[in-house]
Amino acid sequence: MRTRIIYGFIITMIFLSACRKSDAPELPDGLQKAPIPQFTVDSSVDLTIPGQDPSSFNGKFTLNQYYTNDHTFKSMDVVVRKSGDNSMVKVLQADVQQLPVTISITGDQLKTLFGAPIQSIDFYDIGADVTLLAGQKIEAFPSDGN
């Protein structure tokens, strides 16, 4: 019985000594909190771009804030990235200040935005660049990939 108590005490001391307050890393200076954009696809539309007639594509989604009572922002720009290439990002709708907002996108808009017809190998990602109240811009698809 005494051996169990001694072993229990030793194990408890090992666990307690392994945790130190100084083990928590310091947050970098200038770290800011930012809102998280949330996209909800309208279930009444098909998000597949038809291969035979890409111009007939018509998509719809809603942009909102993931935590609605979270941090404020100055504006959001809804952007589209073509085929995963961060150098091919175009603004679909600029300066969104009130959320939620419903946005539609068509095949013709995609063709006009990127200045080229939609190919069968193309795919598109939609994101939001967030401009914070202090003016800092957080890009959805930064050109440096970070």
Side-chain angles (χ1 to χ4, degrees), residues 12-61:
T12 302
M13 291 309 295
I14 289 172
F15 281 118
L16 290 177
S17 66
C19 299
R20 298 179 306 213
K21 185 177 180 179
S22 62
D23 288 342
E26 294 292 322
L27 294 176
D29 290 335
L31 185 67
Q32 296 182 33
K33 295 181 179 181
I36 302 170
Q38 179 183 27
F39 293 91
T40 306
V41 176
D42 186 330
S43 59
S44 68
V45 297
D46 184 11
L47 292 183
T48 304
I49 297 175
Q52 299 299 323
D53 186 15
S55 294
S56 69
F57 170 72
N58 190 9
K60 189 192 286 188
F61 60 90

Side-chain angles (χ1 to χ4, degrees), residues 77-124:
D77 296 334
V78 179
V79 295
V80 181
R81 175 175 66 175
K82 182 177 181 178
S83 299
D85 184 355
N86 285 6
S87 67
M88 295 285 293
V89 177
K90 305 292 182 181
V91 176
L92 177 64
Q93 186 166 335
D95 202 30
V96 175
Q97 296 179 1
Q98 297 293 319
L99 298 177
V101 63
T102 300
I103 299 172
S104 296
I105 184 168
T106 65
D108 288 334
Q109 279 181 302
L110 291 171
K111 182 179 173 182
T112 302
L113 273 176
F114 292 99
I118 299 172
Q119 302 295 318
S120 61
I121 59 170
D122 291 337
F123 62 93
Y124 299 90

Side-chain angles (χ1 to χ4, degrees), residues 81 84-89 129 137-146:
R81 175 175 66 175
D85 184 355
N86 285 6
S87 67
M88 295 285 293
V89 177
D129 292 346
K137 187 172 191 174
I138 301 169
E139 295 179 328
F141 311 111
S143 58
D144 63 1
N146 291 327

Side-chain angles (χ1 to χ4, degrees), residues 1-20:
M1 181 70 172
R2 280 186 147 171
T3 331
R4 286 186 187 171
I5 293 173
I6 291 173
Y7 283 133
F9 178 74
I10 291 173
I11 290 173
T12 302
M13 291 309 295
I14 289 172
F15 281 118
L16 290 177
S17 66
C19 299
R20 298 179 306 213

